[in-house]
Amino acid sequence: MYQKLAFFGNSPAFEKPKSTSNLIKPDMDKFLSYIKPYYDNEDLAEDNLLIQKLENRLATIHGSKYCIAVCNGLWGLVLAINELKIKNKTEIIMPSLTYRRMADIAAWLKMIPHFCDVEIKTFGISPRSVENCINDNTALILAPHPIVNLCDIEGLLNVAKKHNLPILFDSVEASYACFKGKPIGSFGDAEVFSVHASKFLNGFEGGYITTNNLDLAKRIKAARNFGINHNQNVITLGINGKMISPHAAMTMACLDLLDNQIEKNKERFYRYKELLKKVKGIDLVEYNLVERRSFKNILVKLNNFWPYNREETLVFLQKENMVVRPYYYPPLHKKKAIYPTIIGEIKNAELLMNDFMLLPCGEFVSLEDIETIVEYLIYLENNFISIKEAIDIFNNA
Ligand SMILES: *Cc1c(COP(=O)(O)O)cnc(C)c1O
């Protein structure tokens, strides 16, 4: 009966791993057409024509006045926070249930992450919890959009305004989304995006910051170039945080594919939605179908009918070469940190942290692959008694 599973030594469902990342791959010629002028002219300026074109294109897409391309998302966040934080204050309020490296960003700034809670409905940072964490040391609110949903933008902007605090959105997971018809990228003091190969746009590596604040844009632009502005004056503390031209060319080529990519993501999402109806123990986390969304990830909840815990489930599926991942686990307050942290509210993060996982998606997952994946889920659900028995025999053999 259990012969199907790779866990028991059978051949896996997929020969090659099926990722949970987008992995969009534009045509090689497209990429080369963008990189060729740069290659011919070897324009090394940190804001050469290609970088400028990309920044203008992204600013238009996000409905923001300015865009600054940087080496990656993480350093984009560090640079933006360094310019935005209230001077001489030390704490950054951020959720615990989020991107696994988020607290490191505070550590690089010699600041302290203060973990607040998320909302049960969206998994987004909770405005009420942010407000409870605000104190005399608060320097900035860092609001990452969760995977699939958006955080409560209006609620957060109100809290920031009421307490006169800067607010920075980490919008890596919300690229392409709209809130009340307005594109993500134009909210708060600034927003940060990543174009790492695994994200919505694949620039190999890279990131960018959007803002409507001219002074901030100028300072971040200087900060990515060792702190030096266009007059060759050092105006702020900088790093070498430039985006390199091959990464810009790759991002441009991906932008040409945008509509096509969204269509394909949507098709995959609807196939999952249709097929997962047959699995009683698994609920698909739905996208808002009214507003614009990227349909980039497939996030599911293992409900009370599902006969395995998440870690067991992950092992079964990973053996099949399905590179399934838990949703932001462990949350940051559970991780051992080598720098100071403050654990504020985490009740909802604890409630949510064990039940969600990401299923394979993106460019290299076909509709047939989705059928195979769900077929395995159905098999696991229907045969759990014999599978559990087999595990005992297997473990005692
Ligand atoms: C990946 C990611 C980052 C960091 O981006 P990099 O370009 O990989 O440095 C930041 N925030 C979130 C939510 C991410 O998923």
Side-chain angles (χ1 to χ4, degrees):
M1 191 60 162
Y2 54 82
Q3 274 160 1
K4 188 179 176 79
L5 300 176
F7 182 85
F8 298 111
N10 297 287
S11 56
F14 298 108
E15 239 170 73
K16 281 193 190 158
K18 295 289 174 185
S19 163
T20 54
S21 296
N22 211 31
L23 301 175
I24 177 173
K25 196 165 142 191
D27 202 46
M28 175 74 108
D29 291 335
K30 253 269 135 64
F31 166 64
L32 291 176
S33 75
Y34 281 114
I35 196 66
K36 188 160 189 316
Y38 163 81
Y39 191 90
D40 292 344
N41 297 324
E42 282 194 64
D43 184 351
L44 294 176
E46 43 93 28
D47 62 347
N48 69 36
L49 209 59
L50 176 58
I51 300 285
Q52 282 180 32
K53 272 190 187 159
L54 176 66
E55 288 176 338
N56 290 338
R57 197 169 174 187
L58 289 167
T60 304
I61 288 171
H62 290 292
S64 71
K65 284 195 187 144
Y66 312 103
C67 172
I68 308 104
V70 289
C71 56
N72 57 49
L74 190 139
W75 285 105
L77 285 162
V78 172
L79 295 182
I81 292 170
N82 196 40
E83 298 302 330
L84 279 171
K85 70 181 185 202
I86 298 180
K87 305 287 174 257
N88 304 318
K89 309 262 175 180
T90 50
E91 291 180 18
I92 301 174
I93 299 178
M94 63 174 73
S96 165
L97 190 71
T98 188
Y99 174 58
R100 64 189 192 281
R101 300 262 65 95
M102 204 66 95
D104 298 358
I105 290 162
W108 274 109
L109 289 154
K110 298 278 176 279
M111 296 173 78
I112 304 170
H114 187 142
F115 300 132
C116 69
D117 215 349
V118 293
E119 296 187 299
I120 290 281
K121 205 170 137 233
T122 62
F123 311 177
I125 177 171
S126 149
R128 183 202 49 74
S129 179
V130 168
E131 196 156 24
N132 288 344
C133 292
I134 291 173
N135 62 44
D136 287 345
N137 286 324
T138 306
L140 176 132
I141 301 165
L142 177 54
H145 284 293
I147 299 175
V148 176
N149 291 299
L150 298 182
C151 55
D152 175 3
I153 295 175
E154 277 175 347
L156 291 161
L157 291 176
N158 284 338
V159 172
K161 197 168 166 199
K162 181 172 157 196
H163 295 271
N164 218 355
L165 286 169
I167 178 163
L168 176 67
F169 287 98
D170 174 331
S171 302
V172 172
E173 293 295 350
S175 322
Y176 194 74
C178 277
F179 176 70
K180 297 202 168 165
K182 215 174 128 188
I184 294 299
S186 58
F187 294 94
D189 290 294
E191 303 198 34
V192 178
F193 298 83
S194 166
V195 295
H196 180 262
S198 61
K199 314 288 169 145
F200 178 61
L201 294 170
N202 172 7
F204 301 126
E205 276 277 9
Y208 59 94
I209 299 147
T210 58
T211 180
N212 290 323
N213 178 334
L214 176 60
D215 182 56
L216 178 69
K218 282 183 179 168
R219 296 182 72 81
I220 294 175
K221 210 174 152 183
R224 79 171 171 193
N225 189 33
F226 311 103
I228 304 168
N229 73 359
H230 60 285
N231 294 326
Q232 300 304 310
N233 296 320
V234 175
I235 60 163
T236 187
L237 177 63
I239 59 167
N240 181 356
K242 304 182 286 280
M243 178 184 274
I244 61 169
S245 296
H247 295 179
M250 184 69 169
T251 311
M252 285 290 260
C254 286
L255 283 171
D256 290 344
L257 286 177
L258 208 62
D259 292 339
N260 173 272
Q261 191 200 358
I262 302 291
E263 267 324 298
K264 278 159 65 182
N265 285 354
K266 220 170 173 171
E267 262 187 88
R268 284 186 281 260
F269 172 77
Y270 276 103
R271 183 60 60 96
Y272 265 118
K273 186 172 149 89
E274 182 58 33
L275 294 174
L276 282 173
K277 284 180 190 155
K278 296 182 211 156
V279 188
K280 204 172 162 197
I282 292 184
D283 303 323
L284 179 67
V285 179
E286 294 264 2
Y287 282 88
N288 176 331
L289 300 176
V290 182
E291 294 248 33
R292 202 172 78 179
R293 291 291 183 268
S294 73
F295 297 92
K296 182 169 71 70
N297 294 98
I298 304 297
L299 179 63
V300 295
K301 178 182 179 167
L302 306 180
N303 66 36
N304 290 335
F305 291 106
W306 187 250
Y308 312 90
N309 67 32
R310 184 181 59 190
E311 273 45 45
E312 290 167 338
T313 311
L314 291 173
V315 170
F316 279 131
L317 298 177
Q318 282 162 356
K319 292 265 181 202
E320 304 298 341
N321 264 334
M322 303 171 195
V323 190
V324 287
R325 287 187 296 140
Y327 181 83
Y328 290 140
Y329 189 85
L332 304 183
H333 72 274
K334 288 272 189 196
K335 287 173 72 157
K336 214 169 159 179
I338 51 171
Y339 43 75
T341 62
I342 299 171
I343 299 178
E345 298 188 335
I346 42 145
K347 199 171 109 256
N348 291 344
E350 298 244 317
L351 282 174
L352 293 169
M353 69 183 187
N354 291 317
D355 297 338
F356 292 84
M357 66 177 191
L358 292 155
L359 291 178
C361 64
E363 189 67 13
F364 297 100
V365 173
S366 69
L367 298 180
E368 293 77 53
D369 292 341
I370 293 170
E371 282 172 23
T372 305
I373 291 161
V374 177
E375 186 192 306
Y376 273 80
L377 294 173
I378 293 170
Y379 182 87
L380 283 168
E381 181 166 75
N382 289 348
N383 298 291
F384 80 95
I385 294 176
S386 60
I387 290 171
K388 293 222 162 174
E389 275 171 16
I391 291 175
D392 288 340
I393 297 166
F394 195 73
N395 284 342
N396 295 330

